[in-house]
Amino acid sequence: MKKIPKQAYTIEFKELAVKRVQAGEPVAVVVKELGLGDQTVRNWIRAAAVTHAEMKAASFEYIEVFYNRTRQHSTLGYRSPMQYLDHWQSEANQKMMAA
């Protein structure tokens, strides 16, 4: 039995196939037009979904962990939450010392 060599596809080609399916085109149509295997395209779609999930998690982490803690909030007197917390703690300590 002779082995069929694995064909290499460019990233752009894979992205094009995935985008067509995500846009609503049936997998069977995309596979037939591009001359690919059904499972190959499904694997590419699954890989793209994992990448999207990873990007979503990274974006959430950036916004919640870094950006929201450093940006100035109008409700906090245009101070970052960390600055506001430091100010609040120093005022609480001063009140405790005075009492």
Side-chain angles (χ1 to χ4, degrees):
M1 181 174 203
K2 193 173 187 180
K3 250 188 175 179
I4 300 172
K6 188 174 182 179
Q7 189 163 354
Y9 299 101
T10 64
I11 293 172
E12 293 82 12
F13 182 78
K14 293 177 184 180
E15 288 174 350
L16 171 72
V18 170
K19 284 180 184 177
R20 286 178 63 181
V21 173
Q22 289 174 339
E25 240 179 291
V27 174
V29 172
V30 174
V31 166
K32 188 174 182 182
E33 289 179 3
L34 297 178
L36 298 168
D38 184 36
Q39 192 58 47
T40 301
V41 174
R42 292 187 191 283
N43 289 342
W44 293 347
I45 293 167
R46 192 176 317 114
V50 170
T51 303
H52 177 72
E54 290 170 353
M55 286 301 296
K56 191 174 179 179
S59 298
F60 176 81
E61 182 178 350
Y62 169 76
I63 291 168
E64 292 300 323
V65 174
F66 174 74
Y67 180 73
N68 277 344
R69 292 182 185 183
T70 58
R71 77 177 179 94
Q72 295 177 344
H73 294 256
S74 62
T75 57
L76 303 178
Y78 292 97
R79 290 178 282 195
S80 73
M82 300 309 288
Q83 290 171 331
Y84 182 81
L85 181 62
D86 289 341
H87 179 71
W88 179 81
Q89 285 177 334
S90 67
E91 282 185 352
N93 287 342
Q94 287 175 0
K95 287 180 184 177
M96 223 166 66
M97 294 285 216

